[in-house]
Amino acid sequence: MTRLPTITDDLLDDEQRKLWETVNGGRRAASHQTTGGLIDSTGGLIGPFNGWLHSPVVGLPAAQLGESVRYDNSLDRDVLELAIVTVAIHWRSEFEYWAHRGYALAAGIPAEVIDRLQGDANYEPSIPRYAIIVRSCRELLASGTLGDATFRDLIDEVNHRSIVDLITTVGYYTLVSFNLNAFQVALPEGVTPVWS
């Protein structure tokens, strides 16, 4: 059970309605159709969104940023999802890991790579561009910055815009992980937790 009461469509005020429509419409809703949609069996929004309905003044801009990070990102889809999964693993964010493991697989990341990342904190993928993305994400998560050597390796792999997008992705999905973890957002029925 989540720690916050579920806010359903019939309980929304005007500010919450803007957030609900932002989350439950457009690109985000279309991409979640394969995972069962954005509304759970209680009629509330899944993921961090129910929590954000409790404070739409921060929830709406967070959801809008998330849509940009997810759908307007200059990183290739496989690299983007690898970064998100790396963040989820670092924070042991069950819901985020469950959702984005599926997206990473769909984007072409081999299951073995994801499983090894989840099970071995020292594992680096053998694919060079995956290795530098994982290393960069881990360094950001551990220290809040990138060392010179990592930055040089990253700039050899991607352009400046993609580095900005990567750093923003790591920060955004850390925000999501904090919300999911602090509010103990439940996994969908029938999904087995990885860490709990």
Side-chain angles (χ1 to χ4, degrees):
M1 291 292 294
T2 182
R3 287 177 162 171
L4 294 175
T6 298
I7 299 175
T8 55
D9 183 44
D10 58 315
L11 301 174
L12 300 173
D13 65 25
D14 290 343
E15 281 186 289
Q16 291 168 326
R17 170 101 25 224
K18 286 179 198 170
L19 173 55
W20 183 283
E21 290 172 357
T22 296
V23 169
N24 205 32
R27 297 181 286 178
R28 182 180 276 120
S31 74
H32 279 80
Q33 287 177 349
T34 58
T35 60
L38 290 164
I39 299 176
D40 67 18
S41 60
T42 68
L45 294 174
I46 66 167
F49 306 115
N50 181 65
W52 290 348
L53 282 172
H54 286 268
S55 181
V57 69
V58 295
L60 180 59
Q64 290 167 330
L65 175 61
E67 188 166 307
S68 293
V69 166
R70 183 107 185 275
Y71 302 106
D72 300 321
N73 205 303
S74 64
L75 295 167
D76 291 337
R77 180 65 45 197
D78 59 337
V79 171
L80 172 66
E81 292 298 339
L82 181 64
I84 297 168
V85 165
T86 302
V87 173
I89 290 167
H90 177 83
W91 296 116
R92 295 181 176 244
S93 180
E94 294 281 1
F95 192 97
E96 186 170 302
Y97 180 75
W98 163 77
H100 286 278
R101 183 182 194 283
Y103 293 129
L105 291 169
I109 303 286
E112 177 189 344
V113 170
I114 299 168
D115 294 342
R116 293 273 314 270
L117 282 172
Q118 186 273 316
D120 181 355
N122 297 313
Y123 169 71
E124 267 196 18
S126 60
I127 301 165
R129 74 184 185 128
Y130 290 177
I132 187 56
I133 293 299
V134 168
R135 191 172 343 122
S136 297
C137 290
R138 285 176 172 163
E139 198 168 307
L140 281 166
L141 291 161
S143 69
T145 191
L146 292 173
D148 290 340
T150 302
F151 189 85
R152 278 192 304 274
D153 290 347
L154 191 57
I155 202 67
D156 287 344
E157 194 60 46
V158 299
N159 61 31
H160 289 105
R161 176 183 173 187
S162 293
I163 293 175
V164 172
D165 288 354
L166 176 65
I167 291 168
T168 303
T169 297
V170 171
Y172 177 75
Y173 282 95
T174 291
L175 168 71
V176 171
S177 290
F178 285 2
N179 279 266
L180 293 169
N181 290 350
F183 299 128
Q184 297 179 353
V185 173
L187 287 164
E189 271 187 51
V191 176
T192 304
V194 174
W195 296 287
S196 303

